[in-house]
Amino acid sequence: MRALSLLLVTSLLAVPSTVDNPGRGSLHTLVTGDRVRVGGPDRLVIKPAPGREKVRFLAHRLGDGLQVIPVDQLPQIHAGKVSRRQFEVVPATTKPVAARQIHALTLTHLGRDGEPAQIYDTLVINRDSYETTFLHGPPETGTLYLPAGRYVAYTVLFSGNYPERPEMTMLAIPSITLDGDQSFSFDGRASNHMSVSVPHPTAKQLLAEAGWEIRVDPQIGLGGSMLSDTYDGFYIGHAGPDADNPEFVAKATSQWAEMGPDGTAVNSPVAFMLSWYQEGRLFTGLKKDVKPTDLARIRAKHHSHLANGLGLRALWSEVPGKAQWGIAAELYFYLPFSRVEYVNNDSGRVRWHIEATDDAAVSFLRSPGNYQPGRTYSQTWNNAVFGPGTDGTRNGDAISVYVPIYTDASGHPGYGVAHTSRTALFRNSTKVFEAPDFNPQTIDVPPDDAQYRLEVAAQRGDPWPYDLSSDVKVAWTFRSRHTDSAKLLPLSVVRFTPALRENNTAPAGCSFTLPISVQRQAGGSIRKPTVFVSYNDGLTWQQVSLRDAGSGWATTLHHPMGNGWVSLRAKHTDSSGNIVEQTIIHAYRISS
């Protein structure tokens, strides 16, 4: 499962309306009207309410929970008129710890001018229980009485135009071992300003993030971030003893796009996605004058389902095993569309995740990649044929599945909406589970060896006008028994990768080559599949002959005249007897 990411949509995007995609998570509306979309523990989107586009935010990662707080709400929170829990978009749980002796932790806050700071928001997090204690001013000094243990503490000092558009200074003490009464100072004079420039004069910054993270495990993290659309007024620095914590990782993210004549980033042809990390302590300010030689170039081409349909794309970074909490700006465009994105890799540390949502409300994912400076990478997204991918495991006596039913021809796993859908599991021909969706499922099963059949189906109709992959069915037959650890199920799929126009259409009335391959996640060796084609929406089928082609096969289809669709059906049996059967109605269009 991916780590938590936060996607910030700013006013610069002038976001057009689009079909909501339940696959992208649940939607929450804060008391301020700002909308927050939570995609489980792995991603989050902030959409400021109309008229609130310049509001700055704080994001706090508290174990398995997340708070997203608009800065202009802090006066109400500090006055006790509004609860922080109203901004808890992922509820946090704490771990029980044995009773321990209580000690006093005294924290003093000084501004960048050395004077007592009266407006601040401070968090002290227990490293073992994830219990979080909050402190705010005035006065500049406060004392907390906490159990002995390991802690991390950080604050954000506010000055200038508070709370509407304040200057913000983040200071962090990476490690506190509270084994007696202790005192520390958050001194703003230890911070410095943040600034980033990119080698593109018409690009404008969309996202500025400064923060830190401690990774506990793939699902649990501690961290905090300041978020805005510019680094103007952002300061950052170390506090506490002059000692590093190797688990503590500082991070800065800066994302930019070329603006259009309308002053928005919609259809921006050029974007810059940049992140920097530092282990041990927060940066002491940050100044980056990015050069072209620092960057890799990604040429991303997106096909379309609908004429002038709307898509979006977001990139967020991680350092594997160290920092997986990602921050990104969503960029919208009308399909088909191509853009050049420039990314850094921070001396080889950074991996970039990519997510794209197409005009048919399907979200595609790309595994994190390390892009080398000076190189160009070409990617194609949202290209038919859209069909099932593989994602299934057995762990002990439980089978878990989450089938990306709309995986595109480039292999990006695709999750989206459907009019009707179904997941069912049979054991020795007896149904043991059924659900009216294709959401993630974990199904308890007996430990002994048995034959299983897993069926997943999705049909699209009203109210969505999506005619590609309008009816997708896949069924796997395999044997499984108790495992001592998580093991991949012996699932495979047949992939079709035709060379289509950008509107996912092939020419009618001619011969056409269809490449075919088999993708497996486990099981026996691959054998030649059986493939059928239909030109009448599956009423009748014709088996096609396959010839060897590279690592797979190819067949020559004979498209009829006129506008219509090609539907495909396939069956594959591997050398161990594991079977996949799949049908895709309206796999791609044909037109004169």
Side-chain angles (χ1 to χ4, degrees), residues 402-439:
Y402 187 20
V403 175
I405 199 74
Y406 298 119
T407 298
D408 70 13
S410 295
H412 301 116
Y415 306 86
V417 297
H419 183 245
T420 60
S421 55
R422 172 179 176 267
T423 300
L425 182 67
F426 297 80
R427 181 179 183 274
N428 291 336
S429 301
T430 299
K431 186 189 299 181
V432 295
F433 175 84
E434 186 171 29
D437 55 53
F438 49 84
N439 293 333

Side-chain angles (χ1 to χ4, degrees), residues 204-208 253-257 272-275 315-317 327-330 352:
K204 187 170 184 178
Q205 190 169 16
L206 303 179
L207 170 66
T253 294
S254 179
Q255 300 198 348
W256 302 64
F272 293 82
M273 310 297 177
L274 310 167
S275 286
L315 283 75
W316 68 92
S317 63
I327 310 290
E330 290 185 331
W352 286 98

